[in-house]
Amino acid sequence: MEKMEEKSPYKILKLINGDDVFCKVLREYDDALLVELPMSVMKHQVHQDEMHVVEHTGLHRWINYSNDSSYVIYKDRILSFGTLAPEVIFYYKMFCKRIRHEISDNENKSEESMMEQMKDNLSKVAKYLEDSHKIDVEFEEDNSEIQMNTSGSKRTLH
């Protein structure tokens, strides 16, 4: 069996669960791969009109809610693999550049600045809702919950 890095480190992996994953193989072990910024291929169909359907393909992070850039994928979870075409490598690299920028931004932000940004975003949403639906939004002192008053009834968002 050929080593995955031989031609190009940029691969598409077909996992046994059906996922197609674009990645850069950083290192190959006997039982696993160390990959950089694995991206799942996401396809969805858009109806242009009654007669035409267009399929769009995009990428999204394979593992969300983490700022890690490298992951281990065990070989027993890989059904097949192939080398990415040059134009796909270009697209993947552009997407990875954006993800690296987001990771860098998140690592440079303090928890306080992220909380301030979240409060600012919540205020903008509250203003929008207030303007469009006449909803009163009250912020609690500890900022752990928002009370929304709609037509006299109280709902709590956590």
Side-chain angles (χ1 to χ4, degrees), residues 9-54:
Y10 297 97
K11 301 294 179 189
I12 180 168
L13 308 177
K14 180 63 141 182
L15 303 183
I16 61 173
N17 68 356
D19 287 352
D20 291 322
V21 178
F22 291 178
C23 62
K24 178 180 181 183
V25 176
L26 299 176
R27 186 150 187 200
E28 183 173 356
Y29 298 95
D30 289 338
D31 64 340
L33 301 175
L34 178 63
V35 299
E36 183 178 46
L37 292 174
M39 301 290 164
S40 290
V41 178
M42 179 179 53
K43 295 179 182 180
H44 66 279
Q45 295 181 346
V46 177
H47 297 272
Q48 283 187 320
D49 55 40
E50 292 176 14
M51 301 295 288
H52 298 92
V53 175
V54 177

Side-chain angles (χ1 to χ4, degrees), residues 55-69:
E55 185 173 85
H56 288 274
T57 302
L59 297 177
H60 65 91
R61 294 191 70 176
W62 183 55
I63 296 181
N64 295 311
Y65 314 113
S66 172
N67 285 332
D68 293 344
S69 60

